[in-house]
Amino acid sequence: MFKINNNYLKLPGSYLFSTIGKKVAGFKAEHPDKKVISLGIGDVTQPLAPAVISALHKAVDEMGAAETFKGYAPELGYEFLRKAIAENDYKSRGVEIALDEIFVSDGAKSDSGNIGDIFSVDNKIAVCDPVYPVYVDANAMEGRTGIYQKEFEKWSNVIYMPCTAETDFAPELPEEEPDMIYLCFPNNPTGSTVKKAELQKWVDYALKTGAVIIYDAAYEAYISEEDVPHSIYECEGAKGCAIEIRSFSKNAGFTGTRLGFTVIPKELKSGDVSLNSLWARRHGTKFNGAPYIIQRAGEAVYSEEGRKQTKEQVAYYMNNAKIIREELKAAGYTVSGGINAPYIWLKTPDNMTSWEFFDCLLEKANVVGTPGSGFGPSGEGYFRLTAFGTYENTIEAMERIKRI
C-alpha cells in the first residue's frame, strides 16, 4: 500500500492566507451588501507598466510566427534577462554576478519553498519571528522542523529569533548555532530593515559558523533610506555564505504573470560541493522554465521606460504606506514599518489578540488585514496592513478604522 509524507500531517491548520480567504468569503456571503476593503494579502492592484505590456504584445506576436517561435526556455532562463539582471541589480551596485549564477524562476515564493531540496533534513534552521510563513512551512513539509508544539505555537527543531519592539523588529544573532538562516529585508511582515554594517555582522557570523543565509530580497525596490543594502552581496564575503532570492511581483506588479530569480554564487560550497551545481541540477530536473513572453516582459522592466514606470508604481504604493502610517499614528495606534517597505506593522489596541482584532476590523470596518500571530509567536498582539490597495480604498479604509 502506498504511504504519504507524514510531515504534512504535522502542519497546524491551513496556510495563513487560505484561512483569511475563507473567513472573508464567509463574511461576504453573510453580508452581500457590505463593501470589503482588503489590505491583507500583499497583492498589487496597479496594472502592469506600459513598457511591460508592449514587450508582452511583441513577444506574443513572435510566438505566432515560425521564424521567431520559442519552445522550452533554457534551464537557467534566457540570457537576455539574466544579462539585464546582472547589469541592473548587481553591477550597478558594485557587485559582479556571473550569468550562470542567476536562475530564473516563476517567483520568490516558489524558490523560497523549494530551496530546501538541496539541503539535508539534518540541518537546523533559524527564522525571524514573526516571519513569512513559507520558510517554516516548507521546511516542516521536508521534515526539518521537528514536532509542532501547539501550546507555544513553535516547532521543536526551529531556532526562533524574536523581532520585537525592543529590537526595532529586526533579529539578533542567535545563541544556538543554526545551519540555515532565513533573512528577509525589507522584512515581511514587519517592514523593518537593517543598515549595511548590521547585515555585515550576519555575513561574518555565517562565515564563522559555516551556516548558509537564505536572503529574501523581494522588497528591495521599496528601500529609500541610505545605507540600507539592496542585496546581501553588497557585504564583504557574502558570496561564500548566501543565497539571494528576488521577485518581479512587488517591484513590477508580476503577481499574476509570475517571475523571479535566485542567485547562488559558485564559490558557495559545502566542503567541495558547489551549491550552484546542486541547484542547477534541481532546477533542470523539476522546473521547466518561465515562459518566453514573461521573460521578455521581465527584460522590459530594466529598460529606461520600464524603470521609470515601475518606480512610479512603487512610489504610488509607498504613498499609500505613508497615509496608513500617519493616519493610524494620529488615531493613537503604535505603528512601525511603511518607510522602506509596503507593510505597516501595528500593535493591536486594548490588548486584543491578533485574530480578535482581525474579526473586529472585518465586522466593524469591513477592512481585511493579516493577524500578526499568523507569522509566528512574536507576532501575537500585532497586525499587518499592506499598501498595495488603491489610493481610494486606502483612504476609505483609514476613515473606517478611525471610526471604530
Side-chain angles (χ1 to χ4, degrees):
M1 181 177 178
F2 67 85
K3 296 178 175 61
I4 63 169
N5 180 349
N6 284 309
N7 292 313
Y8 279 73
L9 303 180
K10 301 176 184 177
L11 292 166
S14 60
Y15 183 57
L16 170 62
F17 297 107
S18 298
T19 302
I20 291 172
K22 291 175 183 176
K23 276 180 165 281
V24 173
F27 180 85
K28 287 181 177 179
E30 292 179 11
H31 305 87
D33 57 320
K34 301 291 187 182
K35 175 190 174 184
V36 176
I37 297 176
S38 178
L39 300 180
I41 295 176
D43 196 2
V44 297
T45 53
Q46 293 299 292
L48 294 170
V52 172
I53 292 296
S54 178
L56 282 169
H57 282 306
K58 182 179 178 182
V60 168
D61 289 339
E62 290 178 23
M63 296 296 280
E67 59 271 23
T68 53
F69 172 79
K70 299 290 189 298
Y72 290 124
E75 287 187 359
L76 303 188
Y78 283 97
E79 188 172 302
F80 61 76
L81 178 56
R82 288 182 289 123
K83 279 185 176 179
I85 290 168
E87 288 288 327
N88 293 276
D89 287 330
Y90 295 103
K91 192 171 184 179
S92 65
R93 299 191 182 281
V95 177
E96 292 291 337
I97 296 293
L99 296 189
D100 58 356
E101 295 175 327
I102 300 170
F103 299 81
V104 176
S105 71
D106 61 354
K109 181 179 182 180
S110 299
D111 287 353
S112 295
N114 293 328
I115 195 67
D117 285 4
I118 64 173
F119 294 100
S120 167
V121 294
D122 296 331
N123 286 310
K124 191 159 192 173
I125 70 166
V127 296
C128 297
D129 174 29
V131 70
Y132 182 44
V134 171
Y135 309 149
V136 175
D137 286 5
N139 277 284
M141 291 171 178
E142 294 190 353
R144 200 174 281 120
T145 56
I147 303 300
Y148 185 70
Q149 302 167 318
K150 188 174 181 179
E151 64 274 27
F152 304 113
E153 297 185 326
K154 290 183 176 182
W155 292 89
S156 62
N157 200 41
V158 173
I159 299 170
Y160 291 86
M161 303 181 292
C163 301
T164 64
E166 290 71 30
T167 66
D168 290 327
F169 299 106
E172 297 180 328
L173 295 175
E175 294 182 6
E176 182 182 357
E177 288 187 8
D179 302 299
M180 301 164 62
I181 303 169
Y182 285 81
L183 296 178
C184 174
F185 293 114
N187 184 264
N188 177 15
T190 68
S192 63
T193 54
V194 293
K195 301 292 186 181
K196 183 177 179 180
E198 186 64 25
L199 186 57
Q200 184 67 57
K201 292 180 183 178
W202 284 93
V203 170
D204 294 342
Y205 174 81
L207 291 170
K208 178 182 177 182
T209 61
V212 63
I213 297 173
I214 313 297
Y215 192 78
D216 186 344
Y219 299 93
E220 64 81 27
Y222 292 83
I223 295 171
S224 60
E225 294 184 319
E226 295 294 326
D227 201 31
V228 174
H230 289 250
S231 168
I232 195 169
Y233 300 125
E234 294 176 47
C235 294
E236 184 178 353
K239 287 185 181 180
C241 67
I243 293 171
E244 183 162 287
I245 299 173
R246 291 213 190 182
S247 169
F248 285 77
S249 288
K250 306 303 165 52
N251 67 321
F254 278 46
T255 54
T257 43
R258 309 306 307 147
L259 190 65
F261 62 91
T262 288
V263 175
I264 305 186
K266 288 190 285 290
E267 61 199 81
L268 176 54
K269 297 181 178 181
S270 174
D272 295 327
V273 179
S274 166
L275 268 61
N276 179 284
S277 64
L278 295 184
W279 187 244
R281 186 68 172 87
R282 191 265 176 209
H283 202 66
T285 301
K286 290 190 173 184
F287 183 63
N288 230 16
Y292 171 73
I293 60 174
I294 304 301
Q295 294 197 48
R296 279 297 185 192
E299 179 191 30
V301 171
Y302 297 105
S303 68
E304 184 177 350
E305 298 85 356
R307 287 197 301 270
K308 179 177 180 294
Q309 292 160 4
T310 53
K311 282 182 180 179
E312 289 172 353
Q313 291 183 342
V314 168
Y316 176 95
Y317 295 130
M318 289 310 293
N319 183 57
N320 286 349
K322 181 180 179 182
I323 291 168
I324 297 171
R325 180 184 174 92
E326 291 183 351
E327 290 293 324
L328 290 179
K329 288 182 73 173
Y333 287 86
T334 301
V335 180
S336 62
I339 294 177
N340 293 300
Y343 294 121
I344 291 81
W345 189 243
L346 63 120
K347 189 170 179 58
T348 58
D350 303 323
N351 293 317
M352 288 186 186
T353 67
S354 298
W355 280 106
E356 285 173 346
F357 189 60
F358 174 91
D359 291 335
C360 176
L361 272 192
L362 181 58
E363 293 168 9
K364 295 183 178 180
N366 309 148
V367 173
V368 178
T370 309
S373 59
F375 296 102
S378 291
E380 181 57 83
Y382 287 88
F383 204 75
R384 191 193 77 174
L385 294 175
T386 84
F388 287 123
T390 65
Y391 171 79
E392 294 76 14
N393 279 348
T394 299
I395 293 292
E396 184 176 346
M398 292 305 102
E399 291 300 319
R400 293 184 187 181
I401 292 173
K402 288 191 294 183
R403 289 197 295 266
I404 294 178

